[in-house]
Amino acid sequence: MEKKIKRLLFLIIILILVAANIGIFVYYFGKVNQNNTNQEEKENIVNSNTTVIIDQNKVIQNVVENKISNMDEGNRIKSYYGKFIDLIQSKDYASAYNYLNDDFKANYFETLQEFSEYMSNKYPKNRIVVKYNTVERKGEIFVLGVIISDGKDKGFQEFSENIVIREISMNNFSISFSKDIRDTSGRSK
């Protein structure tokens, strides 16, 4: 009987040790798993936020493209030029430079620096106001006649300009214009 009790106690001690080891094992790997899960959740949150931003950008882009696709070509061309002027107004010359026709860019503005200096000297410093005179289609390009003035500085000397816009596809276009070779640095600042 005593042997049976010793064996039973020995078996109970072994079972307790096994249970303790299993408990420690579960606790430790549960923590590691939880940390991995938390990390995965954080990554999923970041990815879902990025996805939301990308989805919002796609929605906005689709709304703009739908709006532009429903415009007649004259208003569409004016819209393209308006986008270009908005970039000039906000001094985002790098984005505006990307809209320039490649041949035009190579011939007149080899660097972004040249383009930035030219645009900052030629266009109004305060508020660019565009008056659209004409829109003519010539084959696959459009010639837009505009008058540029400053909405705040009445001393700014307005000027007229012909803009050539090539619509590559919907909301994808390139721009060129007559580069003024005279010194424009004397314009109102």
Side-chain angles (χ1 to χ4, degrees):
M1 182 86 164
E2 226 173 273
K3 266 185 170 181
K4 286 185 180 181
I5 293 176
K6 285 184 182 178
R7 281 186 185 182
L8 187 61
L9 281 175
F10 183 70
L11 186 62
I12 291 174
I13 292 173
I14 289 177
L15 288 175
I16 290 173
L17 289 175
V18 168
N21 282 334
I22 290 173
I24 292 170
F25 180 79
V26 168
Y27 177 78
Y28 174 75
F29 281 104
K31 278 257 190 211
V32 169
N33 234 1
Q34 185 178 9
N35 288 342
N36 288 343
T37 302
N38 287 343
Q39 182 64 28
E40 287 173 6
E41 286 175 1
K42 287 177 188 176
E43 289 173 4
N44 287 340
I45 289 170
V46 169
N47 288 339
S48 69
N49 286 343
T50 303
T51 302
V52 168
I53 291 169
I54 289 170
D55 288 345
Q56 286 174 344
N57 288 342
K58 284 181 181 178
V59 167
I60 291 169
Q61 185 177 359
N62 287 340
V63 168
V64 169
E65 285 178 4
N66 284 338
K67 221 175 203 183
I68 288 176
S69 68
N70 291 328
M71 291 180 177
D72 63 70
E73 60 187 28
N75 285 329
R76 207 168 50 243
I77 298 308
K78 290 176 185 177
S79 165
Y80 296 155
Y81 185 63
K83 188 176 193 177
F84 180 77
I85 287 297
D86 285 344
L87 294 171
I88 300 301
Q89 178 73 50
S90 64
K91 300 189 183 346
D92 185 357
Y93 297 120
S95 295
Y97 187 72
N98 289 332
Y99 282 114
L100 294 181
N101 176 282
D102 290 335
D103 292 335
F104 176 74
K105 200 186 304 186
N107 289 330
Y108 296 102
F109 300 108
E110 291 182 5
T111 66
L112 173 59
Q113 181 66 30
E114 278 181 80
F115 176 72
S116 300
E117 288 173 8
Y118 179 82
M119 296 310 265
S120 67
N121 288 329
K122 183 170 182 165
Y123 282 83
K125 304 289 184 252
N126 300 303
R127 193 176 72 146
I128 301 173
V129 176
V130 178
K131 179 182 175 195
Y132 297 98
N133 286 334
T134 60
V135 178
E136 295 177 39
R137 183 179 190 137
K138 297 188 178 191
E140 64 178 34
I141 62 168
F142 295 87
V143 179
L144 184 63
V146 298
I147 296 176
I148 305 293
S149 61
D150 190 316
K152 292 184 179 179
D153 182 4
K154 299 302 175 195
F156 179 83
Q157 184 181 359
E158 69 179 23
F159 62 92
S160 61
E161 188 168 50
N162 286 326
I163 311 299
V164 177
I165 298 178
R166 180 173 177 254
E167 185 177 38
I168 300 159
S169 63
M170 198 61 60
N171 208 24
N172 183 9
F173 59 94
S174 66
I175 288 184
S176 56
F177 49 86
S178 304
K179 183 177 179 187
D180 194 357
I181 55 174
R182 60 191 159 102
D183 182 19
T184 57
S185 61
R187 292 196 184 271
S188 172
K189 297 185 182 193

